[in-house]
Structure formats: C-alpha cells, structure tokens
C-alpha cells in the first residue's frame, strides 16, 4: 500500500453540477443539447466558468475542445488529461458524457481542497460534438485531436439547413482553418482517462460499483439510398410498383439479420427518411443511416461487405436504384494493460466491487487511442438505459467512480506508465 490519499468525492456537488447542466436543454424535448446548438453553447460557457472558478487556465483549441489546465510541479512533464463530452443525442439523458466532465471538475476540487499539486500538469477536457450530427464527422473534437479529420472536408461541410460547419465552429471558439493544430502531441500527453456511465445493464446485474474498460467496440456507419417511383397508392397495381420504402424495409431487416450472425455484433437503422411521406403516395425515395458495431475488426469487415452486397441485391430485385456508402468505420480499441493496471489498483485501494468490462458504446477515448494511451472507468446505468431521458445513475455511484478516478490520476502522476 502506498501513501497516496484516498479522496472522497461529494455526491451532493456532483448532483448540483449534473442538474445545472441538465437545465441547458431544448425545453420541449428534454434532454436535448445538440452540438453547436444555443443550449450547447450556454452549457459550454457554464463549464468554462466552473473551470475558471476552480483556478484552471482555460483555452479552446481549433476543434472547439475546451481544455482547463491545472499546472503541475514540473511544466516539462507530459499532461494527464481527463474529461468527456456534454453534447447529447436528441431526447437523450443527463449522464452520458456529462459524468466524465463533472467528475473531472470534482477531481480538481478534491485536489484543491487537499492542497495536492501533481507532478504532471492536469487538463480537464470537454470534447466538441461527441454525438452524431447531420454532417457526419462525430466524434468531432477527439477525432481532430487524433489527427483523423480532413481539414478540407470540414471546410466544405454544410448542414442540411445551409449552415457551414466552419461557422458553427467559429461560434464556439474553434477555427476550421487551423484544425490540424488541434492534434495532440503524443510526447506531451501522458494519458487520457474518461469516466463514463456503462449504458448497458451488465454492472447493475452483477452488483458492480466500477467497471474497468478492457476494449471499446467500434461503430461502422453507412448511408443507403433507394430511388423508386412515386405514384398513386390506389391506382397503381402491386405488380407495377417501384416502392423505395419496401426496399428500405428489407435492408432494415438485413441489418438485423447480419448483426445477429456474429457473436459480438449489434446493428441498427436509427434514421430513415421517406419521400414524399404521404399516406396515399407510393414512396419514391428513401434514405437510411445504419451502423454495425463490434470489438472484432474481422467481423466488422465481413459484415460491411455483406451489408453492402445486400443493399445492391435488394435494389436489383425490386427494380429500384440503390446507392450505398460508408460514412466512416472506426477501429475497435484495446485499452493498454499499463493504464488498466493503475485503474484496477485504484479500484482495489478505494475498496470497490469492480470487474473488467467491454464498452459496447463508443467514446472520445476510442478516437484518442490511436495517438495516446487511454483508460476508461464505468459506473452503472440504472436498468442499462441510455440515449433516452430515463438514463440514470445514482449520485453516490458517480461519486464512487470519481474517487477511483482521482486515485488513478494520482497513481499515474506518481508512477507513470
Ligand atoms: C456514443 O454515444 C455512441 O453512439 O456510442
Ligand atoms: Mn452517447
Ligand atoms: Mn458518451
């Protein structure tokens, strides 16, 4: 046992912060704080104020990521980073991402109260736009930090309503012309740790307090379009139709079937638009956005090929035009054992019930993993619900996760990787 202090996070302060952020939502659709929306900008401002009140020096990088820096004893040492995101999906929850941000702020508070000055500088990070948006680059901020964004593509990106991504980025303090400068220098960053809710029900079922993530599954997202022929729903015989929605329906079921054929895969069509979307008109055009996820790179490649083949086969069989493109396919991530070791030791020393766990959801950490070592801690999600307003984790459970995070940071600070 070493002499590192066991700091107790405050459930009450975490509750206050989480509820404060929950107020920044579209009022008619809680909890909706889409990246770059007015609510997101207000919430970002709130975080900046919190950071400043804790004594952090705040900067916004060209990708709009917010970084709050607490100096260490030796400015030449690489930075320890911790944080997550505060944007939400539409009608999402109050905990996804947010727990990692308010948890990081609480760690700073605990260090301030205990008079701890780490050897390494510590940076609290809020990543820009982790959740999907209409232009399809998400996660945006962590991808930029990993050098995985094509600046030219970002400069060209325009929302369906005509707004340029570069302008939205400028509004939050970013700069699309200098995106490459958001890339992390691996020599200057020791590690990133992210506390997050599990978003599944494994931990609750097993009575675990903390999960130490071993691997992060990767999503592959694609878009399929079918163009048939809009026509009268009464006067057109069944044999003479080119119904684009029927083609889409077949593809929806193919995603389900293909995902089910691999042990560790999930597949979803979460977006479907049909045109003209009238009850008495045969759908002439459809667009689907789909994803498959797995921790196995080989299975993902095979599923991608099968899905693409299936989309074109459906189009041919039904006499409609089909078009399919992958938007992006990420790589599954294995968490380095050197980082896991410190997380596991921290769990042991705090004395929590913990176990290794696979992350089925994706995270900013997964994107950073290609440039720096990352680690993730999970706290339980009530009934496993997430990306919905019912998402819930007790504040005591979050505090336990934050206490482990604080010790893990102190361990990394003292012992390195
Ligand atoms: C992130 O929220 C994901 O889609 O996994
Ligand atoms: Mn999410
Ligand atoms: Mn998240």
């Amino acid at each position: 046992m070493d002499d590192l202090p066991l700091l107790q996070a405050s459930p009450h302060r975490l509750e206050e912060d989480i509820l404060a952020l929950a107020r920044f939502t579209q009022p008619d659709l809680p909890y909706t704080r889409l990246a770059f929306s007015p609510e997101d900008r207000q919430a970002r401002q709130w975080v900046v104020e919190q950071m400043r009140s804790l004594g952090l020096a705040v900067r916004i990088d060209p990708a709009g990521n917010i970084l709050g820096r607490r100096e260490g004893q030796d400015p030449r040492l690489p930075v320890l980073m911790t944080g997550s995101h505060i944007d939400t999906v539409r009608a999402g929850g109050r905990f996804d991402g947010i727990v990692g941000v308010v948890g990081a702020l609480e760690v700073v508070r605990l260090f301030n109260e205990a008079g701890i000055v780490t050897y390494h500088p510590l940076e609290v990070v809020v990543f820009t736009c982790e959740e999907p948006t209409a232009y399809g680059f998400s996660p945006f901020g962590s991808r930029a930090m990993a050098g995985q964004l094509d600046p030219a593509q970002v400069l060209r990106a325009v929302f369906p309503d005509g707004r340029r991504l570069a302008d939205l980025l400028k509004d939050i303090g970013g700069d699309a012309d200098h995106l490459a400068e958001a890339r992390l220098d691996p020599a200057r960053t020791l590690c990133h740790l992210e506390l997050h809710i599990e978003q599944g029900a494994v931990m609750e079922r097993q009575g675990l307090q903390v999960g130490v993530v071993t691997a992060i599954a990767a999503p592959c997202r694609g878009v399929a379009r079918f163009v048939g022929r809009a026509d009268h729903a009464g006067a057109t015989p069944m044999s003479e139709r080119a119904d684009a929605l029927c083609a889409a329906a077949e593809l929806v079921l193919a995603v389900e079937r293909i995902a089910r054929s691999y042990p560790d895969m999930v597949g979803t069509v979460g977006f479907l638009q049909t045109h003209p979307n009238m009850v008495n008109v045969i759908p002439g055009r459809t667009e689907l956005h789909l994803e498959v996820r797995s921790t196995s790179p080989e299975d993902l490649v095979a599923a991608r090929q099968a899905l693409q083949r299936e989309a074109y086969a459906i189009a041919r069989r039904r006499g409609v035009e089909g078009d399919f493109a992958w938007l992006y396919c990420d790589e599954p991530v294995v968490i380095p054992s050197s980082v896991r070791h410190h997380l596991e030791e921290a769990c042991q020393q705090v004395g929590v019930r913990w176990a290794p766990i696979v992350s089925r959801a994706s995270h900013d950490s997964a994107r950073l993993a290609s440039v720096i070592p990352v680690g993730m801690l999970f706290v339980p999600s009530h009934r496993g619900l997430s990306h919905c307003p019912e998402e819930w984790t007790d504040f005591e459970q979050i505090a336990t996760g934050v206490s482990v995070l604080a010790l893990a940071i102190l361990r990394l600070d003292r012992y390195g990787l």
Side-chain angles (χ1 to χ4, degrees):
M1 202 68 155
D2 52 44
D3 59 348
L4 290 171
L6 301 184
L7 304 169
Q8 301 272 330
S10 155
H12 176 66
R13 292 193 300 220
L14 290 161
E15 174 174 1
E16 267 183 2
D17 284 359
I18 288 168
L19 298 186
L21 274 170
R23 284 197 279 276
F24 302 110
T25 173
Q26 275 183 31
D28 53 338
L29 199 62
Y31 298 92
T32 302
R33 187 166 54 249
L34 301 179
F36 307 112
S37 64
E39 299 79 30
D40 184 44
R41 286 204 299 274
Q42 287 160 14
R44 289 168 55 91
Q45 190 52 39
W46 180 89
V47 173
V48 167
E49 283 158 21
Q50 299 302 306
M51 285 179 166
R52 292 209 171 111
S53 73
L54 290 171
L56 303 181
V58 179
R59 73 188 160 88
I60 311 254
D61 77 6
N65 297 309
I66 306 172
L67 291 137
R69 184 179 174 98
R70 189 174 189 270
E71 289 303 339
Q73 294 179 32
D74 187 346
R76 292 164 309 180
L77 289 177
V79 173
L80 269 164
M81 239 172 51
T82 184
S84 189
H85 63 99
I86 57 167
D87 61 318
T88 72
V89 296
R90 191 171 287 115
R94 289 164 286 182
F95 299 84
D96 172 4
I98 291 119
V99 158
V101 172
V102 302
L105 294 175
E106 176 69 5
V107 168
V108 171
R109 240 181 250 126
L110 293 170
F111 286 1
N112 286 355
E113 285 168 356
I116 291 171
V117 183
T118 49
Y119 301 109
H120 298 73
L122 177 65
E123 285 192 352
V124 174
V125 57
V126 178
F127 297 104
T128 305
C129 183
E130 194 269 350
E131 301 289 5
T133 58
Y135 58 80
F137 291 112
S138 78
F140 184 84
S142 47
R143 208 176 276 278
M145 279 189 173
Q148 292 171 354
L149 279 181
D150 173 1
Q153 226 181 336
V154 172
L155 281 169
R156 280 197 306 271
V158 181
F159 267 71
D161 63 9
R163 291 176 302 161
R164 290 175 63 234
L165 176 55
D167 293 334
L168 295 171
L169 202 52
K170 192 159 156 226
D171 288 347
I172 61 165
D175 181 355
D177 289 319
H178 293 92
L179 214 51
E181 290 163 28
R183 195 176 198 284
L184 282 181
D185 178 353
R188 297 193 50 79
T189 318
L190 181 66
C191 179
H192 172 65
L193 295 184
E194 182 169 4
L195 174 70
H196 205 280
I197 56 168
E198 183 202 339
Q199 306 180 279
V202 173
M203 294 179 63
E204 193 172 71
R205 257 188 244 123
Q206 298 183 3
L208 300 173
Q209 293 172 291
V210 174
V212 175
V213 174
T214 54
I216 308 175
C220 265
R221 297 199 171 118
V223 51
R225 293 187 187 88
F226 293 109
V227 181
R229 195 175 54 256
D231 208 340
H232 197 288
T236 314
M238 293 310 281
S239 57
E240 287 172 29
R241 296 175 177 222
D243 186 327
L245 185 56
C246 287
E250 279 203 48
L251 186 58
V252 172
L253 294 180
V255 170
E256 185 185 47
R257 191 178 64 249
I258 289 167
R260 277 194 174 157
S261 67
Y262 297 92
D264 184 37
M265 189 171 290
V266 290
T268 309
V269 177
F271 175 98
L272 193 156
Q273 265 180 347
T274 178
H275 185 83
N277 213 12
M278 296 282 297
V279 69
N280 61 350
V281 185
I282 297 165
R285 284 203 311 270
T286 49
E287 180 170 318
L288 295 83
H289 295 194
L290 59 87
E291 54 157 62
V292 281
R293 305 190 188 205
S294 170
T295 50
S296 157
E298 297 79 23
D299 288 355
L300 277 173
V301 169
R304 279 172 54 187
Q305 288 166 350
L307 270 167
Q308 197 159 337
R309 261 197 318 270
E310 191 67 28
Y312 287 111
I314 292 167
R316 264 195 314 278
R317 219 168 39 239
R318 289 190 157 270
V320 299
E321 279 173 42
D323 181 35
F324 190 94
W326 290 104
L327 293 171
Y328 50 83
C329 287
D330 290 330
E331 285 292 315
V333 165
V334 176
I335 303 291
S337 56
S338 51
V339 183
R340 272 178 59 190
H341 167 74
H342 286 298
L343 298 173
E344 293 171 3
E345 284 293 313
C347 287
Q348 291 292 123
Q349 285 180 254
V350 174
V352 296
R353 285 185 305 281
W354 70 276
I357 190 165
V358 168
S359 174
R360 311 252 158 229
S362 188
H363 302 286
D364 292 304
S365 294
R367 302 289 54 84
L368 299 190
S370 60
V371 278
I372 54 164
V374 300
M376 288 196 76
L377 291 169
F378 277 178
V379 285
S381 290
H382 185 50
R383 293 171 53 216
L385 295 171
S386 184
H387 281 183
C388 58
E390 292 76 23
E391 185 173 271
W392 184 264
T393 303
D394 288 339
F395 301 110
E396 288 74 17
Q397 293 176 311
I398 298 170
T400 303
V402 175
S403 300
V404 172
L405 175 67
L407 183 56
I409 289 172
L410 291 177
R411 288 187 57 90
L412 277 158
D413 182 50
R414 176 177 293 183
Y415 304 117
L417 282 171

